[in-house]
Amino acid sequence: MKKGIIIVPFMTGFGGTETVIKNLFKARLMSEQAFELKVYSIGGSFDYSWAENVKIDIKWISKRRFLRDLYALTIMPLNIFNYLRKENPDFVISTNPVIWYLAKKSLKLLKRKTPVIAWYHYSIDQKPIKHIFLNSADYYLAISSGIKEQLKKRGISSNRIFLIFNPITTNLRLINRPQSTPHFLYIGRVMLDGQKNLRELLNALSGVKGELKLDIYGNTAQATPVKEYARKLGVDKNIIWHGFVKKPWSVINRATALILTSKYEGLPMVLCEAISHGVYCISADISTGPEDIINNYNGELYPSGNSKKLTKIIQKIIDNKKMPTPLMIQKTSKKFMPEVYLLNFNKAVEKIMKVGS
């Protein structure tokens, strides 16, 4: 049986990439597979719960960032070479540009024609990849239509790119809308500025008239400026701070809509998860991600940076705008289900293997 290896760098254990890999292997348990697959983690993780059902080899380095960076600069190239020589995989996938570059170089030295597949989980416009690294891969897995277009703009031919999205794990429990005060949701890192851009959400709320509540779920390590700004705008009385909750969808029992104001994402899984529970979504129309998820049947997009437009959307909902039913919203999540994702992933790998054979 053919064998593939996914090589990843150090990951905390709590991020989106870990969740995607976990969901991929969980989906693989549901059916027979045409090829073997395992993960090689160079650096390990602080938390390994994501690897519960994952076949994995771990090269632990250190908790200290400095030592991990030093390892990457000195020993990692030899480590990758030796690992690929020993394992002799039929294909290699990596989420990290430097790693897929080193994997390709190692395979050339080993005189093997093993295809190397890049699986980048970020917007290339916001987190650019150096030309030498980007072009070293043979094929690319794109997690959103926007990332596929970014790859094409950088000279990658479309026949080398496979759009596969990302899988979600959900129990499909429908979450009801409150009958009285609307409850809006934010789930993610609590940051005033930067990627998550909560300043835009708070600015929008300051212009809304009427009663509402905003439930915020997320790590509060950077929350002090957010709370101070909320008090400054006078919207703090509308906010309920829940802090980090490992499985927020298991404790959320009511929601009117989820709001995402990020400046950039790869494929925002929180939107996929929300629609799987029948929750209406409002999102900034950024270059990658939301356009693949949100449509007229499950939510609304607004121009990123336009907090006044976001205010109008929220206001319409408070004023009893007619929205799709939770069941109608849930039906739009089908393409992110594990079985559909696994089908797309397998098709991509099998086609790559067929071309390379």
Side-chain angles (χ1 to χ4, degrees):
M1 183 180 283
K2 300 287 187 181
K3 177 173 68 174
I5 293 172
I6 301 174
I7 309 179
V8 296
F10 168 84
M11 300 187 295
T12 62
F14 307 107
T17 303
E18 296 94 311
T19 301
V20 170
I21 293 173
K22 177 182 177 180
N23 290 346
L24 168 61
F25 277 82
K26 189 173 181 180
R28 283 173 59 85
L29 293 174
M30 300 177 187
S31 61
E32 291 186 14
Q33 298 301 311
F35 51 85
E36 294 179 9
L37 189 65
K38 73 174 177 177
V39 172
Y40 181 39
S41 171
I42 304 177
S45 296
F46 291 146
D47 184 281
Y48 288 101
S49 58
W50 64 275
E52 184 179 347
N53 294 308
V54 176
K55 188 176 181 181
I56 186 170
D57 291 331
I58 300 168
K59 174 60 181 178
W60 174 252
I61 299 170
S62 172
K63 289 184 177 181
R64 298 174 63 185
R65 174 72 179 269
F66 168 74
L67 292 177
R68 295 199 304 269
D69 289 346
L70 184 62
Y71 183 93
L73 289 170
T74 56
I75 304 173
M76 189 167 72
L78 182 61
N79 178 286
I80 291 173
F81 177 88
N82 287 333
Y83 187 82
L84 293 177
R85 180 175 60 180
K86 180 188 72 170
E87 293 292 327
N88 191 22
D90 295 288
F91 63 92
V92 175
I93 300 174
S94 183
T95 59
N96 180 273
V98 174
I99 289 177
W100 75 61
Y101 169 81
L102 291 173
K104 190 63 185 177
K105 286 291 185 182
S106 296
L107 290 164
K108 284 184 177 179
L109 288 172
L110 291 166
K111 296 182 179 180
R112 295 174 186 166
K113 295 182 179 180
T114 309
V116 172
I117 307 164
W119 191 21
Y120 200 55
H121 286 254
Y122 305 98
S123 164
I124 302 172
D125 288 346
Q126 297 295 333
K127 289 195 172 186
I129 305 171
K130 289 183 179 180
H131 181 83
I132 189 172
F133 298 144
L134 178 64
N135 287 271
S136 62
D138 299 299
Y139 298 94
Y140 304 79
L141 302 180
I143 65 171
S144 70
S145 300
I147 290 177
K148 181 176 181 178
E149 289 306 310
Q150 289 175 355
L151 287 167
K152 288 166 66 177
K153 285 179 182 177
R154 285 159 176 78
I156 308 298
S157 61
S158 59
N159 62 354
R160 296 169 62 200
I161 307 169
F162 298 86
L163 180 62
I164 63 169
F165 297 120
N166 271 338
I168 58 171
T169 297
T170 176
N171 60 11
L172 297 174
R173 177 177 66 92
L174 286 175
I175 295 174
N176 295 320
R177 292 177 192 145
Q179 296 299 310
S180 53
T181 304
H183 274 251
F184 295 88
L185 293 176
Y186 170 82
I187 302 175
R189 281 176 292 150
V190 182
M191 303 167 60
L192 183 61
D193 298 299
Q195 179 190 1
K196 298 303 180 181
N197 190 29
L198 278 175
R199 185 187 297 273
E200 189 160 289
L201 175 52
L202 298 178
N203 285 340
L205 290 182
S206 69
V208 174
K209 297 177 181 178
E211 289 188 9
L212 68 89
K213 290 295 180 182
L214 173 65
D215 291 284
I216 293 183
Y217 293 85
N219 190 307
T220 56
Q222 302 177 62
T224 300
V226 182
K227 293 181 178 181
E228 289 176 353
Y229 192 64
R231 283 193 292 270
K232 179 181 176 181
L233 294 178
V235 299
D236 56 306
K237 61 183 180 298
N238 298 323
I239 300 175
I240 304 169
W241 305 90
H242 296 272
F244 175 77
V245 177
K246 192 169 185 179
K247 296 181 179 180
W249 294 110
S250 66
V251 300
I252 296 170
N253 294 312
R254 59 183 177 180
T256 304
L258 179 136
I259 303 174
L260 184 76
T261 52
S262 294
K263 292 181 179 178
Y264 61 92
E265 295 281 351
L267 184 77
M269 301 305 291
V270 69
L271 295 180
C272 302
E273 292 164 351
I275 61 173
S276 80
H277 292 290
V279 176
Y280 193 79
C281 289
I282 305 163
S283 174
D285 190 11
I286 48 181
S287 59
T288 63
E291 66 176 354
D292 289 317
I293 305 165
I294 294 180
N295 54 47
N296 293 334
Y297 301 100
N298 61 22
E300 189 168 353
L301 297 171
Y302 74 92
S304 181
N306 191 337
S307 61
K308 290 183 178 180
K309 177 62 177 176
L310 178 55
T311 297
K312 289 180 180 179
I313 294 172
I314 296 171
Q315 189 67 61
K316 283 191 297 183
I317 291 174
I318 290 175
D319 295 339
N320 295 317
K321 171 193 172 182
K322 187 176 181 181
M323 295 191 292
T325 66
L327 185 58
M328 185 181 294
I329 292 171
Q330 187 181 71
K331 287 180 179 178
T332 67
S333 67
K334 184 177 179 180
K335 66 180 178 180
F336 304 109
M337 293 297 110
E339 59 272 18
V340 177
Y341 171 78
L342 184 61
L343 183 65
N344 293 335
F345 182 90
N346 287 348
K347 280 183 178 179
V349 170
E350 286 166 8
K351 188 170 182 179
I352 289 168
M353 295 298 295
K354 187 176 181 181
V355 171
S357 60

